[in-house]
Amino acid sequence: METTITPLGGDVHEIDTRMAGHTGITAGYLIRSDRPCLVEPGTAGSAPVVAAALDALGIGPDDLATVVVTHIHLDHAGGVGAIAARYPSAEVVVHEKGARHLADPTRLVRSARRVFGDAFDTLFGDMTPTDAARIRSVDDVGAIDLGGGRRLETHHSPGHARHHIGLVDSATGDLYVGDAAGVYVPETADVRPATPPPDFDLDAALASLRMFAGLGPQRLLFAHYGPVTAVADTLDRSAEELRIWVDTVREAGDDVDHAVALVRERTDPRYGITRPGADPELAAKFETLSSTRANVTGIMHALSGGTGR
Ligand SMILES: [Zn+2]
């Protein structure tokens, strides 16, 4: 099994979890502290890739202390059941509003199958349940013991998903942003919104970005994709992009096709991946992960007063 592991300093290792075989769109992270912690195992299909990476990093089946997900969307948490089965000592940490979906993924999988249709199996693979006794849920703030006095602090950060949490490493000042600051494209340094239905909420998302800035992180670690050290600029950019997309969808009215077209026309020139001359494969890969249509649909749902499930 081929693995791509990038050491980021501070005993943090980025693992390319290769959603649907694509490289460079889904990142997991191993904090190789006294009590090793895996952040974002990725999809069920990613589990063998993640296990091979942990083997290469010297983490055996009994060594992993914690698996934590920023939220339960399948590109982050689909593989939790498979990873929990392989690492029987690991505690699974998730926000309390997401916990029951890890123990019983039936509804989560059913709704994703409805959205993704035939592509579901290729994209995600089959999510298996996690023993409820292994799950520890956190509320507004929580903590994960990394050993040796090092901690990962959890902060509820709704907006992308109502059960989203960000994680701050007490030793490095790294902030794991999940999808709360959107999608970062390392090749072009673009920041694009991630606003899927049914949870997206603009005010909550902006409040979470302000909360993140207030935590004073040293570095942002994006699930999509990788580390960013320009913390303040990137969080500002993330808020600005959200406002532009929401304003554009509001202006477009309630026809989805028209809104998608208007968003493309307005925002494509803003990003290196969609400007004329850009690599179409790179754009297509990120569109698979976070499509303009899904984002526009999520914004429309929010504007029509949608408040999640
Ligand atoms: Zn995601």
Side-chain angles (χ1 to χ4, degrees):
M1 178 72 61
E2 206 182 334
T3 58
T4 308
I5 302 166
T6 309
L8 301 179
D11 290 320
V12 177
H13 298 266
E14 176 195 283
I15 299 167
D16 188 336
T17 60
R18 299 187 185 222
M19 173 175 150
H22 295 294
T23 56
I25 57 171
T26 49
Y29 297 92
L30 178 76
I31 304 170
R32 201 165 55 176
S33 55
D34 293 349
R35 291 174 44 78
C37 176
L38 174 66
V39 182
E40 318 273 44
T43 65
S46 295
V49 178
V50 171
L54 295 194
D55 281 351
L57 288 164
I59 304 296
D62 291 320
D63 298 332
L64 191 66
T66 311
V67 177
V68 55
V69 292
T70 57
H71 62 300
I72 60 165
H73 291 166
L74 294 174
D75 54 322
H76 299 252
V80 168
I83 291 295
R86 185 181 166 95
Y87 298 91
S89 308
E91 181 175 64
V92 174
V93 177
V94 60
H95 189 263
E96 61 177 4
K97 291 194 174 91
R100 70 193 169 101
H101 298 289
L102 297 186
D104 179 6
T106 316
R107 272 183 55 188
L108 189 62
V109 169
R110 194 191 306 136
S111 73
R113 278 193 185 279
R114 215 163 30 227
V115 174
F116 293 96
D118 292 343
F120 177 93
D121 293 302
T122 315
L123 286 175
F124 304 114
D126 196 21
M127 182 175 182
T128 52
T130 301
D131 178 2
R134 305 255 319 261
I135 300 173
R136 179 165 67 87
S137 58
V138 291
D139 189 0
D140 277 354
V141 288
I144 292 164
D145 180 9
L146 298 173
R150 184 173 180 177
R151 287 154 44 97
L152 205 52
E153 219 170 70
T154 75
H155 296 268
H156 187 211
S157 44
H160 172 80
R162 65 201 180 107
H163 59 273
H164 193 289
I165 56 176
L167 313 162
V168 181
D169 185 331
S170 64
T172 60
D174 285 330
L175 170 60
Y176 295 84
V177 291
D179 290 359
V183 169
Y184 178 78
V185 182
E187 290 87 344
T188 52
D190 294 323
V191 183
R192 301 178 82 209
T195 61
D199 280 4
F200 172 64
D201 178 322
L202 177 64
D203 291 340
L206 294 174
S208 291
L209 290 172
R210 286 192 297 272
M211 184 270 288
F212 280 172
L215 295 170
Q218 298 299 304
R219 181 165 68 169
L220 306 176
L221 296 182
F222 280 80
H224 321 294
Y225 184 98
V228 175
T229 50
V231 171
D233 284 354
T234 304
L235 292 176
D236 285 350
R237 176 81 195 273
S238 178
E240 183 189 356
E241 296 300 327
L242 274 177
R243 289 199 189 90
I244 289 168
W245 280 56
V246 170
D247 286 349
T248 305
V249 171
R250 191 182 281 125
E251 186 188 320
D254 52 13
D255 181 81
V256 183
D257 292 331
H258 174 60
V260 168
L262 195 61
V263 164
R264 290 224 166 98
E265 183 189 310
R266 286 277 165 83
T267 67
D268 277 2
R270 299 182 63 78
Y271 311 122
I273 52 167
T274 45
R275 270 180 219 134
D279 172 7
E281 274 179 39
L282 184 62
K285 198 167 75 166
F286 277 95
E287 187 73 10
T288 303
L289 176 79
S290 171
S291 77
T292 304
R293 178 168 291 269
N295 286 340
V296 164
T297 307
I299 292 168
M300 283 184 158
H301 182 72
L303 290 175
S304 69
T307 52
R309 283 157 290 222

